[in-house]
Amino acid sequence: MSHLRAWIVAAASTAVTAALITPTVPADAAPTASPGVVGAQTAGDSLFPHQGNGGYDVSHYDLDIAWTTPNVITATATITATTTQQPLEQFSLDLEGLSVDAVTVDGAASAHARVDSGDTFKLVVTPASPVSGEFTTTVTYSGTPVSHTDPDGSDEGWVATAAQEGAVALNEPVGAMTWFPNNNTPQDKATFTTRLTVPYAAGLGALNRVAVSNGVLVGSPTVSGSTRTYTWNQPNPQASYLAMVGIGRYTASESDVALTSGTTHEWSFADPSATGSGRFATARGRLSSILKGIEKHYGPYPGSSTGLVLDVSSLGYALETQDRPYFENSIDGATLIHELAHQWFGDAVSPADWSDVWLNEGPATFIETQVGADLGGGTSTHDTYYGDWKSSSASFWATPAAGFTDASDLFGSQVYARGAIALEALRTALGNAVFTDVMRTWLETYGGGSATTAQFIDVAEQVSGYDLAAFFQTWIYGTTKPTAWPTAYQPGTLNPTPTPSMDSLVRVGRRVTVVTSAWDPGATLTYRWFLDGKAVPNAYRSSYVATAFSLGKSLTVAVTGRRTGYPSVTRTSSPRTVLRGFQVPMADPTVRGNPRVGATLRAYPGSHSNTTLRQQWYVDDRAVARATTTKFTLRPQDRSRVVRFAARWTRPGYFPVVKYSSRLRVR
Ligand code: TRP
Ligand code: ZN
């Protein structure tokens, strides 16, 4: 028993062994391996630290929501997600209000609890057994949804429209949790199927309620008894805050909308009692020209469909709900362009953190002016935003456009106007062609996902070749009014920019350092090492150590110099072939024993790591068959001859080393 215990202790470091022996170990000695971890109740957002959850990533929401008057929903959310790290023994979803009737995980009933304290609204799920990899959670819930008041005082979430007419769900930034359990962070985007069931009576005809959401209407609405069901499918990744529902006595319209990239289908809905419903057809009629107008600058429309929703509410804003933006009471021309521009900026690429929201509102505001001028001859972006900078007060600049820390600044003028001014300043500095390339590269790189301001700056630097740290500090992060409008960066050159070289021959195992001493002292240098023209992963330092794998290959190093106000310059060294390395110095082996027939000699070759030792005894300089260990017993035929021992060290990529003992005359 005690022997067994000692063995268990010794084996405990290998989990597989521990698992194998578990059944034979008495209960008191059983290893208490953790069955899973508890998912974090935050996604780490800087402004909304209680929103979002950790440990999993949602791939699809299937929402089945039946609405009845006065404003009650009965719903099932089926959420497909995948664990991101360890198995989860507990995880949470954001859900405010409503009552949860049942939760299952992978079909098994699960324990669940609610957190409703301060800003934290969670549905905490404890599955019957920990989940790992993909898992499916169903939440059956019901009640009258609450709306949510934001730090800036505006309302969002599930909002009832005029008495018993219907409801709209608008979720920026956190309102999604008022109508479906979700991972409420723009970092976790997912596809959606939204099935909406509303009351129906054949006799009411066109006065029946209609239900709208994002994406594509699947088939025709189906009538069953006194209800009608609409199924909407969003095949593109969508942030929870861009999911929408509209229920009302809408007039529905559809068409095919011509784009430069093809056609997309339009489903639009308007409450005829909205004051602006008369001009609704005008707005619909502009969809094609505006979408094409945005495509001209920023590339293909990223949506799965298009459309407009016009309802009567008093929220104070329109919203870029994915594919199908929402408008309150009326649709003005600038706002229409703004919300459609968001389909690229905000919806295709979403902010990774809410303090990055200028990446949505800056471009949407800028494009409102840009495409407005293109289509309607309004004021140019230069005149608008140069003018805004010039006439701005110091206090306007006190709040940075990105990285601000007060959630009530989320939709402040620093986000919209500073964001747009910064983009026009960038366009001035880089020129229109490079600026457009920056914006398109941003969409191509991060479309379907979310990204940060730092990643935007990185794209701008990569595409333009300029060091833009000082630029973004001034226009995005700074808290004082920039003293001068930028001038177009002059394509001067960094001087000098010699071709880099290497300080020595390149040998396996030996550090080679790039020689850049003569470069422009004002430049920041970065390095990239290549073997046979292929970039070596993670090799971005000023020196490099070749491994055996690179033997015989051709090594080059590219040096990129960046300096504010200058385009970057990249120069590549001439190639050097990677040569065999030299192994560490090794001593001659020694031999001990009496060199007499019948006696056994013993050799001491020494020991070295990372190298393979082969041993050989020689008699009169001829290798003795099978005498390849440290011991050699002298045979009668060896008498009067000369014996010696050789150690041969080999290592891939290095020259072999052979060392001989001194010669012994056999007696
Ligand atoms: N993102 C919306 C837009 O610019 C505006 C918005 C959403 C908003 N919620 C808000 C503005 C709350 C002010 C307050 O299209
Ligand atoms: Zn906007």
Side-chain angles (χ1 to χ4, degrees), residues 233-317:
N233 189 44
Q234 173 55 274
N236 292 334
Q238 174 174 286
S240 300
Y241 85 90
L242 295 165
M244 72 92 58
V245 168
I247 294 169
R249 299 186 199 277
Y250 301 137
T251 322
S253 327
E254 34 179 317
S255 74
D256 283 323
V257 173
L259 303 172
T260 304
S261 58
T263 46
T264 193
H265 199 72
E266 176 216 2
W267 284 274
S268 289
F269 301 87
D271 183 330
S273 70
T275 49
S277 66
R279 289 200 306 278
F280 187 69
T282 316
R284 287 187 56 221
R286 296 187 63 206
L287 280 171
S288 176
S289 62
I290 294 172
L291 292 173
K292 280 183 184 167
I294 303 171
E295 283 185 321
K296 187 182 117 201
H297 295 281
Y298 303 104
Y301 176 62
S304 66
S305 66
T306 188
L308 308 171
V309 179
L310 174 67
D311 205 339
V312 181
S313 58
S314 47
L315 297 167
Y317 53 84

Side-chain angles (χ1 to χ4, degrees), residues 178-270:
T178 67
W179 59 280
F180 71 102
N182 72 99
N183 193 17
N184 210 4
T185 162
Q187 284 172 29
D188 187 356
K189 297 167 76 163
T191 54
F192 280 70
T193 302
T194 309
R195 225 167 292 105
L196 300 168
T197 299
V198 291
Y200 181 80
L204 273 178
L207 283 179
N208 274 300
R209 290 182 185 81
V210 168
V212 51
S213 186
N214 317 83
V216 173
L217 180 62
V218 181
S220 304
T222 53
V223 172
S224 164
S226 59
T227 64
R228 181 157 71 169
T229 300
Y230 290 77
T231 302
W232 292 91
N233 189 44
Q234 173 55 274
N236 292 334
Q238 174 174 286
S240 300
Y241 85 90
L242 295 165
M244 72 92 58
V245 168
I247 294 169
R249 299 186 199 277
Y250 301 137
T251 322
S253 327
E254 34 179 317
S255 74
D256 283 323
V257 173
L259 303 172
T260 304
S261 58
T263 46
T264 193
H265 199 72
E266 176 216 2
W267 284 274
S268 289
F269 301 87

Side-chain angles (χ1 to χ4, degrees), residues 152 154 172 317-320 338-339 342 361 411 416:
D152 66 1
S154 50
E172 191 183 19
Y317 53 84
L319 194 64
E320 64 265 29
H338 181 107
E339 306 308 337
H342 271 309
E361 303 303 346
F411 298 110
Y416 288 79

Side-chain angles (χ1 to χ4, degrees), residues 458-526:
D458 204 50
V459 167
E461 291 189 332
Q462 293 302 323
V463 170
S464 70
Y466 288 102
D467 174 351
L468 296 169
F471 177 93
F472 282 99
Q473 178 56 39
T474 301
W475 293 94
I476 292 296
Y477 292 117
T479 52
T480 54
K481 182 174 176 176
T483 50
W485 188 251
T487 47
Y489 289 168
Q490 291 306 314
T493 42
L494 288 182
N495 263 312
T497 55
T499 301
S501 57
M502 299 180 208
D503 70 338
S504 65
L505 291 181
V506 183
R507 293 199 177 277
V508 171
R510 186 208 271 173
R511 182 169 295 277
V512 59
T513 302
V514 62
V515 178
T516 54
S517 47
W519 279 64
D520 186 327
T524 309
L525 304 186
T526 56

Side-chain angles (χ1 to χ4, degrees), residues 469-595:
F471 177 93
F472 282 99
Q473 178 56 39
T474 301
W475 293 94
I476 292 296
Y477 292 117
T479 52
T480 54
K481 182 174 176 176
T483 50
W485 188 251
T487 47
Y489 289 168
Q490 291 306 314
T493 42
L494 288 182
N495 263 312
T497 55
T499 301
S501 57
M502 299 180 208
D503 70 338
S504 65
L505 291 181
V506 183
R507 293 199 177 277
V508 171
R510 186 208 271 173
R511 182 169 295 277
V512 59
T513 302
V514 62
V515 178
T516 54
S517 47
W519 279 64
D520 186 327
T524 309
L525 304 186
T526 56
Y527 314 93
R528 205 86 179 82
W529 296 82
F530 296 83
L531 282 169
D532 286 349
K534 283 183 63 187
V536 181
N538 301 318
Y540 45 75
R541 293 172 188 277
S542 58
S543 66
Y544 178 70
V545 182
T547 60
F549 155 83
S550 28
L551 179 66
K553 296 191 169 155
S554 158
L555 182 74
T556 50
V557 58
V559 177
T560 299
R562 287 196 174 76
R563 185 176 172 177
T564 302
Y566 297 80
S568 66
V569 175
T570 300
R571 294 259 185 277
T572 301
S573 71
S574 50
R576 283 208 166 163
T577 303
V578 179
L579 306 170
R580 280 188 192 281
F582 295 113
Q583 300 199 57
V584 294
M586 288 147 177
D588 291 339
T590 54
V591 169
R592 279 190 220 156
N594 194 345

Side-chain angles (χ1 to χ4, degrees), residues 241 320 341-342 344-347 349-365 367 401-402 404 414-416 419-420 423 439 442-443 446 450-457 472 476-477:
Y241 85 90
E320 64 265 29
H342 271 309
W344 284 255
F345 298 94
D347 295 17
V349 182
S350 304
D353 187 275
W354 281 111
S355 71
D356 293 314
V357 73
W358 82 276
L359 295 167
N360 294 9
E361 303 303 346
T365 304
I367 293 167
F404 53 91
Q414 87 288 354
V415 165
Y416 288 79
L423 292 174
M439 303 305 266
W442 168 248
L443 294 165
Y446 295 107
S450 1
T452 62
T453 302
Q455 286 168 320
F456 180 81
I457 295 171
F472 282 99
I476 292 296
Y477 292 117

